[in-house]
Amino acid sequence: MNTECTLNQLRGLMQLLRTDESDSSSDDDAILPAKDKQKPFGPGDINKKPAADTKDDKKVEIVPPACCTSIEPQSLDEWEAKQAEDQNIFDTRQEPEFTISYKQVVTTEDLYLGMSNKTPSTASCEDMILEIKLPGETATIDEMELTITENFLDLPVRKFKAKIALPHPVDPNKGKATYNAEYNLLKLVLRMNRELDFVNF
């Protein structure tokens, strides 16, 4: 059996025995210029900063999305509004059901003679009646903290938290509240501020 091999056969055998890593590294070293070849990383290079290329260096400004940016409050009212907003996120109390109706004062002159030009519409009503249902509520009327402004009502109790925007401006200083503990029903009678009440025709 002839075991002699030519020079070309030996070169072919060397190429078959070469690993892919040695091929890729040798090819990269051959293609990359001398300035792009990196030196091996050693212990002395831990605190070294890479040299900045002044020609190709561009400053990239990272802008956070709008949802992540927060504006700090500048006044006391803004701080209180932000604090109330944060408290509402973790508040698990339910919003109660409520109904709104209107009441007007009608005398015999209005009923038979029509002297005050009142109509059955809500434009002729003086009072707004707000009934809030609080089923299963254990707080008494003395424990309820009711806050009424001209256009808003706030009622936080143990099981419920009512924040109601009133459909008509009211007078916070004129009104009355009654609570029926048997039916857990809070009834508010609020005097409305009507623009044409004191207009002389």
Side-chain angles (χ1 to χ4, degrees):
M1 183 175 178
N2 189 8
T3 57
E4 294 181 0
C5 54
T6 61
L7 184 61
N8 291 333
Q9 291 175 345
L10 287 173
R11 286 179 180 173
L13 184 60
M14 287 174 63
Q15 289 180 357
L16 289 174
L17 295 175
R18 275 167 126 187
T19 60
D20 293 338
E21 294 178 358
S22 61
D23 289 342
S24 62
S25 62
S26 61
D27 293 342
D28 292 342
D29 293 341
I31 294 172
L32 289 174
K35 67 177 183 178
D36 292 338
K37 293 180 181 179
Q38 295 182 355
K39 295 180 180 179
F41 186 78
D45 298 327
I46 291 176
N47 291 329
K48 285 186 179 179
K49 295 182 179 178
D53 191 358
T54 55
K55 294 181 181 178
D56 299 333
D57 226 10
K58 293 182 179 179
K59 292 183 179 179
V60 179
E61 185 180 355
I62 300 174
V63 180
C67 62
C68 299
T69 57
S70 61
I71 300 174
E72 291 296 329
Q74 302 298 327
S75 63
L76 180 61
D77 293 337
E78 291 179 2
W79 273 107
E80 290 177 351
K82 188 175 185 300
Q83 186 178 11
E85 203 174 317
D86 293 341
Q87 289 176 354
N88 291 334
I89 295 175
F90 302 103
D91 197 349
T92 58
R93 287 178 289 182
Q94 299 178 1
E95 186 175 351
E97 295 182 3
F98 62 91
T99 57
I100 296 177
S101 56
Y102 299 91
K103 182 179 76 172
Q104 63 178 240
V105 179
V106 180
T107 61
T108 53
E109 291 85 359
D110 301 322
L111 185 61
Y112 296 107
L113 302 175
M115 296 177 64
S116 61
N117 296 324
K118 285 189 176 181
T119 64
S121 66
T122 57
S124 299
C125 296
E126 292 85 13
D127 296 325
M128 178 191 301
I129 301 174
L130 181 62
E131 293 182 345
I132 304 175
K133 299 177 182 178
L134 305 170
E137 181 58 47
T138 57
T140 61
I141 187 68
D142 297 329
E143 297 173 345
M144 295 182 182
E145 297 179 3
L146 180 63
T147 305
I148 300 175
T149 61
E150 190 176 2
N151 296 301
F152 196 75
L153 180 142
D154 186 13
L155 176 65
V157 288
R158 294 175 184 172
K159 282 190 166 185
F160 299 93
K161 187 172 185 179
K163 288 183 174 293
I164 303 171
L166 302 177
H168 196 282
V170 299
D171 188 351
N173 300 319
K174 293 181 181 179
K176 62 180 181 178
T178 56
Y179 182 64
N180 189 335
E182 183 180 355
Y183 297 101
N184 296 110
L185 182 66
L186 178 65
K187 184 176 180 180
L188 304 171
V189 180
L190 306 174
R191 179 57 55 93
M192 294 191 295
N193 287 334
R194 301 190 306 170
E195 297 178 0
L196 302 178
D197 279 351
F198 303 102
V199 176
N200 294 323
F201 294 99

